Amino acid sequence: MRPLDEKETTQVFEKLFNFTGNNLKNIVEAPSHEGPESDPGRYCFRLNKNRVYYVSESLVKRATNVKRDKLVALGTQIGKFTKGGAFHLTIQSLNLLAANAKHKVWLKPTAEMSFMYGNHVLKGGLGRITENINTNDGVVVFSMSDMPLGFGVAVKSTQDCRKMDPNGIVVIHRADIGEYLRMEDEL
Amino acid sequence: MGKKKQKVVLPPELPPDVPEDEVEVSDEDLDFVAENIQHVGFLNTLDTQSITRHVTRVADVKEDALESLYEQRLRKKSLLKQKDDNVLEVDPVDALPVKTPDGKIVFRTVPKARKVADVGEATSDNEDNVADESLVRLTKAEKRAKLKKLRKEAKKQGREVTEIEEVNESSQAQADVLEEVKKDLTAEEVNESKKFRLAEIGTALLTDPEANIKSLSEMLQISKSEDRAIVALGLKSLLAVFKDIIPGYRIRLPTEKEQAMVVSKAVKKMRFYESTLLSVYKAYLLKLIYLGEKPAFQRVAIRCICNLLEAVPHFNFRERLLAIVVKNISSADDVVRKLCRAAIKSVFTNEGKHGGEVTVEAVRSIAALVKAHDCQLHPDSIEVFMSLVFDEDLGRAQKATVDKRTKSKKFKKRKNQEEQPSQLPNNDKKKARKEMISRTQEEVDADYKAASFAQDIAERRRMQTETLSAVFEIYFRILKHTFQTRTDASSVASSGGHPLLVSCLNGIGKFSHLVDLDFMADLMSYLGKLARGSSDVNGSPESSLGGCLTVSERLQCCIVAFKVMKSNLDALNIDLQDFYAQLYQLILEYRPGRDKGEVLAEALKVMLCDDRQHDMQRAAAFIKRLATFSLCFGAAESMAALVTLKHLLQKNVKCRNLLENDAGGGSVSGPVAKYHPYASDPNLSGALASVLWELNLLSKHYHPSVSTMALSIANLCNTTNQVYHTNVSPQQAFTELSLEKESFTTNSNINKSGNKRKRANVQQAVPTVADADTASQTDEVEVRKKLSEHFLLLRDISENGRLKSELDRTTMSLQLYQQYKKQKKKQR
């Protein structure tokens, strides 16, 4: 377990910023009420075995007691670095993203299942969409009852969505909560 | 006409044979009229009068004229005008000839009566028109003018007759006498006579415009006099005349080539008539325009111009009319501005009169005006666009016809294909015939199109498009201007607000569904920027930009954005997060006195009630903020807020956690564990972790309807399954309560006095416990008695207190005096 170096930090923050915009501040500055300390600590990012975790400071302190190769995980995993050095957000980060999302898409009940099987979001399945989404923005996908289902990347801006045909892809699938079942081993 | 006149000349030859008795002559004339009444019309009247003229002249040439003139002079000298006026006022116009005592008029009673009858039949419409139009004028002056006009008919007709018949001697004699009299006339008299002359010519023109077209210029001459009243009268009567006689088409003056051609008499006459009309009209307009710049005549001139524009927007020189009206539409003078606004509105609404061309011109010139004045105009100048009507079905109808055509073509093709094989042998002949038929059909169609007034659909469509683009050019210019001035704060203070913004926003809300979707992105982003107003994204309220947009204006921006979304972007359900955040902020910035409550209520309705679904977090945040809001402001505002709140609670079942009594919100409270009352983003406020304690306070609100509303909301949780929707919108609630405001003050007084009474009862009841039961059932008398006792007691107490304080004061002074004495003794 080690803190992220500068290059890794920019990579992680760029990804997160893509989804949350200015709300990234809230993620970094959120107070943690964990641990015995009276004053609330902060959350920080830690790298362990190529995976990035979002951990409260008090937990980090206590995790130092565990041997490095024995430590499996700590806090909330938000993503991982691939062998090629790229950073990917994983499905575990969904709660963090959903709470601070800037761009959202709500799916019609009929389209929910399709998305959770790993398919892209089509225009026909779109129940609602926030305005001002631009191409390549990170988008969090919700069900109509405000339940976060996953996230992806916008292919079209909100304006362009109007002119599309119903079978066009609006959001490219990145992760969905179906992965907890489908890829149980890899997570 | 010429022929008729010749006919007309004939009758005068008859009377000389008959004896000089007037009655007989008139009888004959009456008969003549009765015979020819259908086709001769007003000409008859003129003729008969000229006949009588003739007759009188034959009978006693100068005596009558002299008599009448002397009488006139006498009257003038003895200043009997008041009497005259009285007589005039008493006389109804129709009963004139009977009542006027002048010898002259008695002399002509019969022809006049006849004339009145004829004219009444023939030109009642015209006169009605005149009466309608002249409502503006002084009725007194009008009456007088009408009265005198009839009297003066004699002179005028005399002149006409001399022109026509060339009877020189008698007319000269008359002219001499007239000149003599004129010298005696004072300036006032001249004015009077001018007025009469105006009225005279006016009626003559209305009865027969073609014959009297020449006298139009005389009217114009009269209106050039120095006297203001005369000028005004002249302008107005000219207006009335023009409104009536201007034809329903545009006059095109004949070219030289055409003039060189030989034409029939009728055509010549027509050309003369038209050219005279046009030249005088032009001169009149120039005069109006000239006077329109003088403050003394501005209102009259503008009124005339506006009336002309409303009545004859199709006629020549309308561009000038329009230019003047548009120039004055943001005038500082309220009356002028209102007139111009009404004129432009009527141009917009009555497009049938001019086929839409004037609309395009008007909108364009207003656009130029806005551009020239850098958006600093009176809101009226933009508000007129609200009365524009765009026919949306124009394009659709065309499309449908196109579809039909293609369909029929297809159908034909198929038919042809079916038919062709069987009809191959005699195909050529038929083909040729068909072609001929179709060719002639096309020609006929083209001719019909050219002849008929119905406009081409494509043409109208083009015009609508132009109008629309001009209108939106203005709107976008205003938005841009507002935005630019917002960014350079220094100029904001000097320019002071954006007068056009509100009406511009209204217009956008109304017409946005007509704009191309490509504009939408820009439009929404601009609206978003404007709505953001003074406060930055970061929530720092005192940014350098300065709050140049008022809260109402920013609310308006939000409302318009939602309307735009709703009217044309319904296909895709878009969540306007930014605007919700703005509204969330604006609720805090609202001040009841400064900002418009109606706008806030409308915003609440459009944004929170009409929208179908919300995030749970956001709904909770709004619920909490509205509850807090309704604690601080008046009954009307808090009622509007409560109605919205109830609506939100009914729709979002999860948010009813707020009604539960434990803070923290449990698992639904989301990532934010604590409620931040000042958060700028509703999603991050953590409102689900809070409790709606405000409702408890509100249930003790002084206004009964607010308190009942609060109670019903608080009980919403218990009646969970009962789904009923309130029909009242926040706007309605707001207006109801704000209307009630005045009446409620008295209401509350009554309540207070009622409370007092109760309190009095209680106080009385405490000492007399035995009477408690009876006291509860007491009738009015007893209550009154007890009240009087109570107040007597109260007065006694106060009296007692006063006496006591007096006693204290005296004892104090006594003590002081003693001390003073002691000190004196010590000093000794």
Side-chain angles (χ1 to χ4, degrees):
Chain A
M1 181 188 68
R2 64 170 175 84
L4 305 177
D5 63 24
E6 199 162 316
K7 191 181 145 218
E8 288 161 345
T9 314
T10 48
Q11 269 180 305
V12 171
F13 277 13
E14 264 173 19
K15 265 277 171 2
L16 285 177
F17 183 80
N18 199 12
F19 280 87
T20 58
N22 286 329
N23 292 342
L24 179 60
K25 194 178 57 144
N26 296 323
I27 295 180
V28 179
E29 292 176 357
S32 78
H33 295 281
E34 296 174 25
E37 292 92 354
S38 56
D39 57 324
R42 300 239 168 260
Y43 282 96
C44 55
F45 294 93
R46 285 289 178 273
L47 187 76
N48 187 37
K49 294 176 186 163
N50 273 342
R51 292 173 189 259
V52 179
Y53 296 91
Y54 182 64
V55 210
S56 70
E57 278 170 347
S58 65
L59 190 60
V60 169
K61 275 180 206 157
R62 280 172 280 160
T64 47
N65 298 327
V66 183
K67 251 173 116 178
R68 182 180 283 188
D69 55 333
K70 299 277 194 223
L71 184 66
V72 177
L74 75 166
T76 312
Q77 182 187 335
I78 60 164
K80 63 181 178 187
F81 282 98
T82 59
K83 294 261 168 30
F87 176 70
H88 286 177
L89 287 170
T90 52
I91 186 61
Q92 293 95 328
S93 66
L94 181 61
N95 272 340
L96 198 65
L97 293 182
N100 298 291
K102 195 175 178 210
H103 310 296
K104 299 179 183 175
V105 159
W106 288 263
L107 292 188
K108 288 177 185 162
T110 48
E112 279 174 21
M113 281 318 281
S114 163
F115 179 72
M116 283 193 286
Y117 284 132
N119 298 318
H120 303 306
V121 176
L122 307 183
K123 195 205 168 194
L126 221 58
R128 205 144 63 102
I129 184 170
T130 47
E131 61 157 349
N132 291 337
I133 293 181
N134 291 321
T135 316
N136 293 329
D137 279 344
V139 180
V140 179
V141 181
F142 289 85
S143 73
M144 280 317 253
S145 53
D146 274 332
M147 165 107 157
L149 298 178
F151 51 88
V153 173
V155 184
K156 302 271 178 168
S157 67
T158 313
Q159 295 301 324
D160 293 337
C161 278
R162 294 179 210 293
K163 297 167 207 155
M164 290 170 65
D165 63 324
N167 287 326
I169 295 174
V170 177
V171 177
I172 291 182
H173 170 272
R174 282 277 175 268
D176 63 87
I177 50 174
E179 286 173 15
Y180 285 118
L181 293 179
R182 281 183 278 131
M183 316 202 300
E184 208 176 347
D185 301 334
E186 294 166 37
L187 286 176
Chain B
M1 280 302 296
K3 280 177 189 172
K4 274 185 184 176
K5 261 190 184 166
Q6 276 177 355
K7 242 187 212 170
V8 161
V9 177
L10 282 177
E13 292 165 12
L14 284 173
D17 305 341
V18 188
E20 290 92 333
D21 203 341
E22 305 95 331
V23 183
E24 269 190 41
V25 172
S26 62
D27 272 347
E28 266 194 13
D29 283 349
L30 267 173
D31 292 341
F32 182 73
V33 170
E35 281 168 20
N36 298 355
I37 195 158
Q38 302 96 327
H39 35 88
V40 187
F42 346 113
L43 277 178
N44 261 344
T45 68
L46 292 180
D47 303 337
T48 47
Q49 272 159 357
S50 65
I51 291 160
T52 53
R53 261 280 119 194
H54 195 76
V55 170
T56 56
R57 245 176 268 127
V58 172
D60 28 17
V61 188
K62 286 177 186 174
E63 274 180 23
D64 281 318
L66 275 177
E67 232 177 63
S68 61
L69 289 172
Y70 281 132
E71 270 177 12
Q72 266 191 339
R73 195 192 289 172
L74 261 176
R75 247 189 301 145
K76 286 147 207 161
K77 276 179 184 170
S78 56
L79 284 172
L80 278 173
K81 225 172 268 166
Q82 289 183 335
K83 193 184 155 194
D84 248 22
D85 282 350
N86 288 339
V87 171
L88 301 179
E89 274 177 352
V90 171
D91 284 348
V93 178
D94 291 347
L96 272 177
V98 189
K99 285 199 178 178
T100 40
D102 289 5
K104 193 171 137 200
I105 282 155
V106 167
F107 181 77
R108 242 177 298 119
T109 41
V110 181
K112 229 182 241 167
R114 206 187 309 138
K115 194 218 161 188
V116 166
D118 286 350
V119 170
E121 280 170 17
T123 67
S124 60
D125 292 353
N126 288 346
E127 280 183 349
D128 281 354
N129 279 345
V130 176
D132 287 343
E133 288 145 12
S134 59
L135 274 178
V136 195
R137 284 184 234 175
L138 289 174
T139 50
K140 202 172 161 188
E142 171 80 357
K143 261 187 196 169
R144 196 188 301 146
K146 265 198 176 174
L147 210 170
K148 292 266 174 160
K149 141 213 336 169
L150 291 177
R151 194 184 293 167
K152 287 260 171 172
E153 209 84 37
K155 283 174 206 164
K156 181 191 155 200
Q157 261 138 24
R159 263 176 235 158
E160 279 180 10
V161 168
T162 53
E163 277 172 22
I164 297 165
E165 299 180 356
E166 298 172 2
V167 184
N168 287 328
E169 315 104 39
S170 54
S171 69
Q172 262 184 356
Q174 218 176 13
D176 289 345
V177 182
L178 267 176
E179 275 181 5
E180 202 178 309
V181 174
K182 260 189 184 168
K183 279 173 194 167
D184 286 358
L185 293 179
T186 59
E188 256 180 54
E189 279 304 319
V190 171
N191 283 350
E192 285 290 297
S193 70
K194 273 181 179 170
K195 281 182 200 166
F196 304 149
R197 184 81 191 124
L198 270 179
E200 203 174 277
I201 300 172
T203 30
L205 271 170
L206 289 185
T207 47
D208 189 1
E210 298 205 6
N212 301 319
I213 190 70
K214 276 182 188 165
S215 42
L216 257 183
S217 47
E218 194 189 333
M219 264 177 112
L220 197 65
Q221 281 298 325
I222 292 175
S223 66
K224 273 181 187 160
S225 92
E226 289 89 50
D227 191 43
R228 279 177 58 180
I230 294 281
V231 173
L233 265 182
L235 291 180
K236 282 172 182 168
S237 38
L238 267 172
L239 167 70
V241 169
F242 273 125
K243 259 169 117 175
D244 207 66
I245 66 172
I246 281 179
Y249 51 87
R250 232 180 145 145
I251 291 177
R252 184 182 61 87
L253 288 176
T255 58
E256 280 185 14
K257 210 175 173 186
E258 281 172 332
Q259 267 172 335
M261 277 195 286
V262 183
V263 287
S264 69
K265 263 187 180 176
V267 174
K268 242 181 203 169
K269 200 158 166 66
M270 196 65 195
R271 274 189 188 164
F272 174 71
Y273 170 70
E274 286 185 344
S275 60
T276 326
L277 177 64
L278 204 57
S279 61
V280 177
Y281 184 61
K282 191 178 177 185
Y284 175 59
L285 282 191
L286 286 177
K287 178 134 186 79
L288 279 181
I289 291 169
Y290 170 69
L291 288 177
E293 282 157 12
K294 287 188 174 177
F297 293 106
Q298 196 188 21
R299 286 190 185 176
V300 178
I302 297 294
R303 193 188 294 276
C304 289
I305 288 175
C306 288
N307 265 322
L308 276 180
L309 186 62
E310 277 174 43
V312 289
H314 59 274
F315 199 59
N316 304 37
F317 307 121
R318 62 176 179 204
E319 303 86 8
R320 296 205 184 170
L321 285 177
L322 202 63
I324 293 292
V325 171
V326 168
K327 209 175 100 188
N328 282 302
I329 201 170
S330 71
S331 151
D333 190 345
D334 265 348
V335 178
V336 169
R337 200 175 54 233
K338 256 177 206 158
L339 279 172
C340 291
R341 197 178 60 180
I344 298 260
K345 268 186 183 170
S346 84
V347 164
F348 286 164
T349 45
N350 304 327
E351 278 196 342
K353 268 188 186 174
H354 49 79
E357 290 160 32
V358 183
T359 311
V360 180
E361 283 169 29
V363 173
R364 273 201 193 134
S365 43
I366 290 177
L369 188 78
V370 170
K371 190 179 177 185
H373 286 254
D374 203 17
C375 303
Q376 297 297 326
L377 288 171
H378 195 277
D380 276 359
S381 46
I382 300 299
E383 222 174 74
V384 289
F385 292 146
M386 296 302 275
S387 51
L388 274 175
V389 182
F390 293 104
D391 190 359
E392 288 167 62
D393 293 335
L394 268 185
R396 247 175 255 157
Q398 202 184 20
K399 262 182 202 164
T401 52
V402 168
D403 283 356
K404 234 186 245 170
R405 222 174 280 158
T406 52
K407 253 184 206 168
S408 60
K409 259 182 199 167
K410 273 181 199 166
F411 187 64
K412 244 185 218 164
K413 244 183 212 167
R414 216 187 303 146
K415 224 181 182 179
N416 283 348
Q417 281 169 353
E418 281 170 4
E419 283 172 3
Q420 264 171 0
S422 63
Q423 291 179 343
L424 266 179
N426 52 0
N427 209 4
D428 288 352
K429 243 189 192 174
K430 276 205 168 178
K431 221 180 188 178
R433 228 172 94 194
K434 257 188 188 171
E435 261 181 27
M436 261 240 317
I437 289 173
S438 64
R439 212 179 292 154
T440 46
Q441 189 67 39
E442 271 173 22
E443 274 176 26
V444 167
D445 278 352
D447 282 354
Y448 177 71
K449 230 182 207 175
S452 68
F453 283 106
Q455 275 177 317
D456 200 9
I457 288 180
E459 180 70 9
R460 275 180 65 190
R461 226 173 120 69
R462 189 186 58 77
M463 246 164 339
Q464 276 201 3
T465 321
E466 276 180 30
T467 316
L468 195 65
S469 64
V471 167
F472 268 88
E473 186 198 325
I474 296 176
Y475 285 159
F476 283 132
R477 185 184 299 285
I478 294 168
L479 283 186
K480 207 173 156 192
H481 174 264
T482 318
F483 190 64
Q484 277 171 356
T485 50
R486 202 173 67 85
T487 43
D488 39 284
S490 57
S491 70
V492 169
S494 58
S495 66
H498 309 280
L500 294 183
L501 186 62
V502 174
S503 39
C504 160
L505 288 175
N506 284 337
I508 290 177
K510 187 173 176 193
F511 296 124
S512 61
H513 60 284
L514 298 166
V515 196
D516 192 0
L517 280 183
D518 293 339
F519 281 122
M520 279 308 146
D522 291 338
L523 181 62
M524 293 304 279
S525 71
Y526 261 119
L527 283 176
K529 279 174 193 166
L530 287 178
R532 219 163 287 148
S534 57
S535 63
D536 265 344
V537 186
N538 303 331
S540 63
E542 307 298 331
S543 63
S544 61
L545 301 181
C548 59
L549 286 184
T550 65
V551 171
S552 318
E553 279 170 338
R554 287 164 62 191
L555 278 174
Q556 197 92 38
C557 282
C558 294
I559 295 170
V560 168
F562 271 79
K563 275 185 183 162
V564 168
M565 272 294 161
K566 209 183 191 179
S567 59
N568 46 356
L569 310 175
D570 225 16
L572 196 64
N573 192 348
I574 289 186
D575 188 64
L576 294 172
Q577 222 169 9
D578 259 11
F579 291 97
Y580 281 116
Q582 288 319 313
L583 179 66
Y584 193 65
Q585 274 295 105
L586 284 171
I587 288 175
L588 272 193
E589 290 175 26
Y590 176 84
R591 301 283 174 278
R594 183 189 63 185
D595 306 318
K596 289 177 197 146
E598 301 86 26
V599 180
L600 181 76
E602 193 187 350
L604 288 181
K605 177 170 183 297
V606 170
M607 296 176 75
L608 294 176
C609 290
D610 287 357
D611 215 23
R612 269 159 292 180
Q613 63 276 92
H614 300 285
D615 295 350
M616 189 176 52
Q617 288 286 343
R618 190 163 65 202
F622 271 108
I623 287 171
K624 183 69 184 166
R625 184 153 284 190
L626 283 175
T628 320
F629 168 83
S630 57
L631 269 186
C632 328
F633 297 124
E637 282 98 349
S638 61
M639 194 63 193
L642 282 180
V643 169
T644 319
L645 199 161
K646 188 172 185 182
H647 188 89
L648 284 175
L649 273 179
Q650 275 170 343
K651 273 198 172 169
N652 299 280
V653 183
K654 280 180 190 168
C655 292
R656 292 187 195 168
N657 283 351
L658 288 172
L659 295 171
E660 302 289 350
N661 213 2
D662 57 338
S667 61
V668 284
S669 69
V672 191
K674 217 178 118 196
Y675 175 55
H676 303 290
Y678 293 109
S680 59
D681 189 351
N683 284 323
L684 299 174
S685 70
L688 274 176
S690 65
V691 173
L692 279 181
W693 50 266
E694 288 92 348
L695 287 177
N696 197 24
L697 277 182
L698 279 173
S699 62
K700 289 166 191 157
H701 198 270
Y702 69 91
H703 199 291
S705 52
V706 172
S707 64
T708 49
M709 190 70 185
L711 271 179
S712 76
I713 292 171
N715 291 330
L716 207 62
C717 208
N718 305 334
T719 57
T720 349
N721 294 328
Q722 191 182 350
V723 179
Y724 58 92
H725 287 282
T726 45
N727 297 323
V728 193
S729 75
Q731 275 171 297
Q732 284 170 337
F734 181 83
T735 46
E736 270 173 30
L737 285 205
S738 50
L739 280 182
E740 211 180 292
K741 239 177 199 169
E742 295 97 29
S743 58
F744 186 71
T745 48
T746 55
N747 213 5
S748 61
N749 281 342
I750 292 168
N751 280 354
K752 263 184 210 161
S753 61
N755 284 346
K756 232 185 219 168
R757 202 171 283 179
K758 261 185 217 157
R759 229 176 289 143
N761 268 342
V762 170
Q763 284 183 357
Q764 278 309 84
V766 167
T768 58
V769 181
D771 290 348
D773 290 341
T774 52
S776 61
Q777 302 161 0
T778 46
D779 51 353
E780 278 289 308
V781 184
E782 222 166 320
V783 166
R784 201 166 290 163
K785 210 175 78 188
K786 279 183 180 167
L787 270 180
S788 65
E789 277 172 23
H790 169 67
F791 283 117
L792 218 69
L793 195 77
L794 276 184
R795 216 186 48 203
D796 285 352
I797 289 171
S798 63
E799 186 80 358
N800 199 4
R802 198 176 56 78
L803 289 174
K804 251 185 190 168
S805 67
E806 223 165 89
L807 189 74
D808 284 348
R809 227 184 15 240
T810 38
T811 47
M812 269 272 282
S813 56
L814 275 176
Q815 281 173 356
L816 276 175
Y817 183 67
Q818 278 171 358
Q819 277 182 356
Y820 171 74
K821 264 188 171 174
K822 272 180 192 170
Q823 275 183 352
K824 259 194 172 176
K825 272 179 190 172
K826 274 181 188 173
Q827 274 175 4
R828 279 178 194 172

